[in-house]
Amino acid sequence: MKEIIYLDNNASTKIKEHVWEEMLPYLKDNYANASSLYHRMGREANAAIETSRKQLASALNCQPKEIFFNSGATEAINTVLTGIFKNYQNKGKHIISVKTEHKAVLETLKQLEYAGAEVSYLDVDAQGAINLEALEKSIRADTILLCVMAANNETGMIHPLKEISQICQNKALLFFCDATQYIGKNKLDLADIPIDMVCLSAHKFHGPKGIGALFIRRKSKPIQVTPLIIGGGQEHGFRAGTYPVANIVGLAAAISSFSFEEQEKVRYLRGLLEKSLLQLDAVYIHAHQSNRLSNTSAICFRHILASEIMSNCPTLALSSGSACVSGMRDPSHVLLAMGVSEADAKSTIRFSLSSFSTEKEIQLAVSMITKVVQKLRDQSPIWQLFQAGLIT
Ligand code: PLP
């Protein structure tokens, strides 16, 4: 079988070798329950968790007691949104979010709307950016939470977190940030940027799947989030369930290995990819003018279906960035919110690189995509019409 060129790293990433090595002892040798403090194995497992918590806190420049381990971003999002709504309803039922958030946020907010929440979904411009004045204007006396992601999973567009958190501070509004795609590709300094709650998932930055963390800032007036999962009292009663020690150790190892040099290499490779693919006719990059993640490029190949390109490139692991519901490909809600036409949204492929990507792989991917795009367009009556100037 031909080797796959993996360019779907915003979906999930390969575990780094040193991360495996640090996890292995807690899968093979020390399999104790980290809450069994009566014996040495349990105490050692527990110590590994607390060391991991300190490592993660140091990476985020926050306090270890502000970190709660869980199964990943989806759980954190559900916990925060439902927990805040439950506890702050007496103040108000209004939540502000953005049309381009991940489905984990949008679907949870939809459930809250059924339960009586009033949600304002901010518009974005053609680059995927929100208007900060519009954000400020949308804050009301009964607004209890702002939920804005750090970086978009489809386009890589990065929101101005410092400015947004400043607005929230001025208005004494809680700010929850889904930083699932941002953390691991950028440093997030929580001492510098006063976000109240942040979530992350280890599998997005070369750690294992099924493990993540939620940061909740310690404030003089504590933030009230009700636990979603209760039981054995782990995480000080905030998140019950036997600790997946190896996964927690893996998360900490993965985040600690963040390097600016790696990200610069990824940015360079993405530049090569974009420069080469932009040579093709009627190709453009979404959110091209915005501050973007170093690894992400959502490229529209006009007048061909992304699904057709991908099925003609079986050795490339790519993504259309759109949800696949019961076999139907919906156009991406993110691109539609940016004003992209349905046809262009369906012609868009997301390339997401990682530090494992190589120049050779990028060259091969470009050459495959170029050939397939040319072949499909040669066969396409719509392309002929476009070339003849009969459609735009
Ligand atoms: N938020 C964003 C921006 C994501 O990209 C993802 C995963 O794709 C999630 C949340 C959900 O993460 P997980 O599936 O790890 O819970």
Side-chain angles (χ1 to χ4, degrees):
M1 198 177 91
K2 275 199 182 165
E3 275 206 20
I4 296 276
I5 297 175
Y6 190 81
L7 299 172
D8 194 19
N9 288 280
N10 283 9
S12 203
T13 57
K14 176 174 171 163
I15 296 184
K16 283 184 177 168
E17 199 56 38
H18 78 95
V19 173
W20 271 121
E21 278 162 19
E22 291 189 46
M23 289 171 67
L24 216 53
Y26 298 97
L27 290 166
K28 258 178 88 185
D29 306 318
N30 188 345
Y31 40 82
N33 187 319
S35 302
S36 294
L37 300 179
Y38 293 106
H39 55 75
R40 204 182 74 202
M41 277 171 74
R43 284 194 295 275
E44 281 175 6
N46 196 274
I49 290 174
E50 293 318 313
T51 302
S52 302
R53 197 185 307 279
K54 282 186 196 139
Q55 284 175 299
L56 177 55
S58 151
L60 298 176
N61 206 5
C62 67
Q63 299 173 49
K65 60 188 176 196
E66 294 174 311
I67 299 285
F68 299 91
F69 291 115
N70 58 19
S71 68
T74 302
E75 183 188 322
I77 289 164
N78 275 265
T79 305
V80 169
L81 297 179
T82 56
I84 292 289
F85 183 63
K86 188 171 174 193
N87 291 306
Y88 290 81
Q89 268 190 64
N90 51 356
K91 183 186 168 213
K93 295 187 176 185
H94 184 231
I95 296 172
I96 302 169
S97 192
V98 185
K99 288 184 176 167
T100 48
E101 291 293 302
H102 190 269
K103 288 282 180 182
V105 166
L106 297 177
E107 290 299 312
T108 309
L109 288 175
K110 202 195 274 178
Q111 291 302 315
L112 292 183
E113 284 181 278
Y114 294 139
E118 208 183 311
V119 185
S120 299
Y121 298 94
L122 297 174
D123 288 321
V124 296
D125 65 16
Q127 297 298 313
I130 52 171
N131 180 311
L132 296 183
E133 273 176 33
L135 161 62
E136 246 185 300
K137 278 197 192 130
S138 70
I139 300 172
R140 313 188 314 211
D142 64 340
T143 308
I144 51 173
L145 182 71
L146 172 70
C147 173
V148 180
M149 70 200 327
N152 189 272
N153 45 303
E154 294 189 26
T155 64
M157 187 270 166
I158 297 174
H159 287 293
L161 298 181
K162 204 158 187 178
E163 286 87 338
I164 295 173
S165 51
Q166 208 56 61
I167 292 172
C168 289
Q169 264 205 332
N170 295 344
K171 301 264 184 186
L173 175 64
L174 289 175
F175 176 23
F176 169 47
C177 179
D178 169 8
T180 310
Q181 292 291 346
Y182 185 86
I183 291 175
K185 302 178 184 106
N186 289 277
K187 271 261 175 216
L188 181 60
D189 183 342
L190 290 170
D192 183 41
I193 306 185
I195 309 171
D196 295 299
M197 291 160 283
V198 173
C199 68
L200 57 97
S201 267
H203 74 103
K204 304 290 189 188
F205 50 87
H206 305 293
K209 293 176 184 54
I211 185 72
L214 171 61
F215 157 85
I216 304 183
R217 191 176 292 281
R218 287 274 174 134
K219 299 176 107 167
S220 49
K221 194 170 168 206
I223 299 172
Q224 305 290 328
V225 185
T226 307
L228 197 67
I229 298 175
I230 48 173
Q234 290 88 348
E235 295 297 81
H236 301 286
F238 185 68
R239 203 287 185 174
T242 301
Y243 284 111
V245 185
N247 279 352
I248 292 174
V249 167
L251 182 159
I255 201 152
S256 305
S257 73
F258 170 84
S259 114
F260 285 108
E261 291 75 43
E262 269 184 13
Q263 288 310 311
E264 277 321 298
K265 178 200 141 187
V266 172
R267 190 180 293 281
Y268 165 74
L269 293 178
R270 194 223 5 219
L272 292 183
L273 175 91
E274 291 187 339
K275 193 166 164 227
S276 309
L277 290 178
L278 282 175
Q279 309 280 319
L280 288 162
D281 276 348
V283 164
Y284 70 95
I285 299 166
H286 296 289
H288 201 185
Q289 307 309 321
S290 65
N291 181 22
R292 282 182 299 157
L293 295 173
S294 51
N295 78 321
T296 310
S297 190
I299 305 186
C300 175
F301 301 89
R302 297 201 66 215
H303 302 303
I304 337 173
L305 283 174
S307 54
E308 277 195 46
I309 302 176
M310 290 190 289
S311 61
N312 275 275
C313 298
T315 54
L316 296 184
L318 297 165
S319 161
S320 68
S322 63
C324 186
V325 185
S326 48
M328 297 284 289
R329 287 203 178 272
D330 292 334
S332 146
H333 70 281
V334 172
L335 298 180
L336 295 186
M338 288 163 63
V340 174
S341 69
E342 229 178 84
D344 278 9
K346 286 184 172 174
S347 299
T348 296
I349 295 180
R350 179 185 71 185
F351 299 79
S352 50
L353 286 61
S354 85
S355 56
F356 285 103
S357 305
T358 65
E359 198 157 333
K360 182 96 208 295
E361 284 184 327
I362 297 303
Q363 282 162 357
L364 282 169
V366 165
S367 139
M368 275 186 241
I369 297 268
T370 303
K371 279 189 201 132
V372 166
V373 167
Q374 277 162 352
K375 183 185 91 178
L376 291 173
R377 281 177 171 172
D378 285 347
Q379 298 164 353
S380 157
I382 292 176
W383 182 250
Q384 316 301 333
L385 291 175
F386 174 71
Q387 291 245 295
L390 296 172
I391 57 166
T392 54

